[in-house]
Amino acid sequence: MQTRRPDGEILDRTANLERFDLPLSPAGLTAIRQGRTRVEVASTENGRLLIYSLPVRRDGQILGVLQLGRSLSDYDQAQGTLGRILFAGGLVALATAFASGWLLAGMALRPIHQITRTARAIGRLRDFSQRVPYAGPSDEIGELARTFNAMLEELQAAYVQLEHAFQAQRRFVADASHELRTPLTTMRGNLELLRREPPIPPEDQREVLEDLITESDRMIRLVNDLLALARAEAGQALRREPVPLRPLLSELGRQVRRLARGQIIETPEAPEASALADPDLLKQVLLILIDNAIRYTPPGGRITLQARIEEMSIALDVQDTGPGIPSEILPHIFERFFRGDPARTGGGAGLGLSIARALVEAMGGTIEVQSQVGVGSTFTIRLPRSPDEATSSAK
Ligand code: ADP
């Protein structure tokens, strides 16, 4: 506390001020002289001071000034600390917001990065077995990862299928070339013999010519078979019409009896029904099976050709009492160029059953075999039953 005279001169001060003056601005002094109190903030070397000055009056006359000073350093210090805390807190909040934003964005975008990486790796390595690892929630990104993986699965299946088809095609071309080369080499050897000087004896010449005819017949058969197989596998435009079983089987029975080499041919009466098929191709398939049965069944054996009605299909059996097919080769007999025991095969190229299967499948049917060594074999073709009859007989 401090007192001044009305002209501003200091009169006295309390001991806590020591020798320190509480300042009063000229504007403050003027206000005091006019009888008004005055509040001022003064900056001193010890910090800011809040100074309250009020006039001391007696009988309406200003006798002096009473000044009270209060240090603002606590307040300033607290304000400074608060400012620093706010600034530091703001910085931390900003850094946290930035880091968590960055982290969240990174987490959200990780599956997309993985999809991009996987797609790039697949493009580079052609490895469709790769998948995007995703264990997150099933949101839009999860959906994207799942769709991408499903697409990869489809692609992988298509690629594997294509690869198998390509390999099968390559094997087929190699096998076909090999099969064609054998008769051609024999024919070439025979032609060389005919060109010899001096010529070979006339009876040998006849034999060589016979061989040439046999080999060229074999080649014609082989080329015809290859053509039939290519057509069947290309799924040529097929006629699909009701083929009545009775006339079909009785005609085939007559034909087979002419071809048989001492085997007994049985054709039990066929049911009154029709299969849905291409009549010419169905006959071709049955002739392949019958031809095999005749070739593999010894004289005196029995070959049965019969038709059965099943719920929605027609089953046609070609059964023989031949040697049967060993179980280890049974799964392969429908493969192209597959031949069983070469000592027993009747000179076929191993294409008959693959042609039969391709034709049956092109007609929307199936072919299967049951066989027991020493007992015989049964080949069964199943074809759709003509729908008109299937429904009318069900009534
Ligand atoms: P192939 O020209 O050799 O007869 P196929 O494709 O017709 O060719 O038959 C493949 C193989 O299946 C034959 O080599 C033979 O081993 C076996 N096979 C086919 N039909 C019969 C049958 N009825 N009895 C015994 N084996 C058979």
Side-chain angles (χ1 to χ4, degrees):
M1 193 169 73
Q2 174 181 280
T3 51
R4 288 179 190 262
R5 283 214 295 244
D7 61 1
E9 192 184 327
I10 294 168
L11 278 173
D12 200 3
R13 62 169 75 92
T14 49
N16 63 341
L17 284 177
E18 293 173 1
R19 282 142 68 76
F20 185 77
D21 282 351
L22 292 179
L24 181 63
S25 65
L29 193 59
T30 313
I32 295 293
R33 281 191 194 136
Q34 288 167 355
R36 285 184 282 127
T37 54
R38 175 89 175 169
V39 179
E40 287 181 345
V41 175
S43 297
T44 69
E45 60 205 31
N46 292 335
R48 291 193 317 146
L49 282 178
L50 178 70
I51 301 164
Y52 185 67
S53 309
L54 70 161
V56 180
R57 287 193 195 103
R58 194 202 287 162
D59 305 331
Q61 199 184 343
I62 308 291
L63 295 180
V65 185
L66 181 66
Q67 284 188 293
L68 298 165
R70 167 92 168 81
S71 166
L72 286 178
S73 59
D74 285 355
Y75 171 80
D76 284 347
Q77 212 173 355
Q79 201 179 31
T81 311
L82 185 67
R84 273 194 300 280
I85 288 174
L86 282 180
F87 181 70
L91 272 186
V92 169
L94 198 70
T96 313
F98 180 77
S100 53
W102 189 75
L103 214 74
L104 278 177
M107 262 159 60
L109 289 179
R110 198 178 329 152
I112 295 184
H113 285 315
Q114 271 165 344
I115 290 176
T116 313
R117 263 204 308 276
T118 311
R120 206 173 287 142
I122 289 169
R124 207 175 45 241
L125 307 169
R126 300 208 171 171
D127 175 11
F128 294 104
S129 65
Q130 298 204 27
R131 294 287 176 274
V132 181
Y134 182 77
S138 57
D139 51 10
E140 285 80 359
I141 291 186
E143 183 65 25
L144 177 66
R146 232 193 342 273
T147 311
F148 189 73
N149 281 342
M151 183 193 76
L152 283 178
E153 208 141 303
E154 297 284 331
L155 270 179
Q156 188 184 13
Y159 192 72
V160 167
Q161 211 175 355
L162 214 66
E163 189 73 17
H164 283 166
F166 186 57
Q167 272 172 13
Q169 207 58 34
R170 230 176 4 211
R171 220 173 31 239
F172 177 60
V173 171
D175 290 346
S177 317
H178 178 78
E179 292 293 329
L180 285 169
R181 201 173 54 185
T182 314
L184 277 173
T185 315
T186 316
M187 283 163 78
R188 189 182 157 106
N190 284 337
L191 288 169
E192 287 286 341
L193 278 177
L194 291 180
R195 205 169 64 163
R196 267 212 190 140
E197 277 305 335
I200 56 171
E203 58 271 26
D204 288 353
Q205 278 185 17
R206 236 187 334 273
E207 210 172 294
V208 168
L209 283 171
E210 281 303 321
D211 277 359
L212 272 170
I213 289 170
T214 312
E215 284 306 316
S216 51
D217 280 351
R218 204 159 83 113
M219 257 184 76
I220 290 167
R221 253 198 332 269
L222 182 62
V223 171
N224 281 339
D225 280 357
L226 284 173
L227 211 59
L229 185 61
R231 284 211 190 107
E233 290 193 341
Q236 58 182 163
L238 295 173
R239 278 194 294 154
R240 292 186 75 186
E241 57 190 64
V243 184
L245 299 174
R246 271 198 189 155
L248 174 78
L249 292 200
S250 62
E251 187 195 330
L252 275 170
R254 272 196 304 280
Q255 235 171 316
V256 175
R257 283 189 188 90
R258 278 202 300 274
L259 296 171
R261 299 181 207 138
Q263 298 96 340
I264 303 154
I265 310 294
E266 287 191 341
T267 48
E269 195 176 17
E272 193 68 73
S274 301
L276 204 59
D278 179 314
D280 294 334
L281 297 185
L282 177 55
K283 211 181 291 175
Q284 191 182 341
V285 172
L286 287 167
L287 279 173
I288 289 172
L289 299 179
I290 293 164
D291 177 57
N292 276 352
I294 292 174
R295 273 192 295 129
Y296 296 107
T297 308
R302 192 179 299 272
I303 296 169
T304 313
L305 177 61
Q306 69 167 358
R308 291 177 287 125
I309 295 183
E310 293 182 341
E311 203 175 329
M312 292 304 290
S313 55
I314 296 290
L316 292 155
D317 299 318
V318 179
Q319 189 175 15
D320 67 49
T321 56
I325 306 165
S327 56
E328 64 272 16
I329 71 164
L330 204 58
H332 304 290
I333 60 170
F334 290 101
E335 290 170 11
R336 300 151 169 174
F337 297 111
F338 180 85
R339 275 171 284 208
D341 182 2
R344 271 215 290 246
T345 51
L351 287 174
L353 288 180
S354 41
I355 295 172
R357 182 168 72 171
L359 289 176
V360 169
E361 285 177 358
M363 288 188 282
T366 59
I367 183 168
E368 61 177 37
V369 60
Q370 280 182 330
S371 189
Q372 208 178 335
V373 173
V375 177
S377 314
T378 306
F379 286 84
T380 304
I381 300 170
R382 280 195 177 77
L383 286 166
R385 194 173 162 193
S386 175
D388 304 343
E389 290 168 17
T391 46
S392 65
S393 73
K395 276 178 199 160

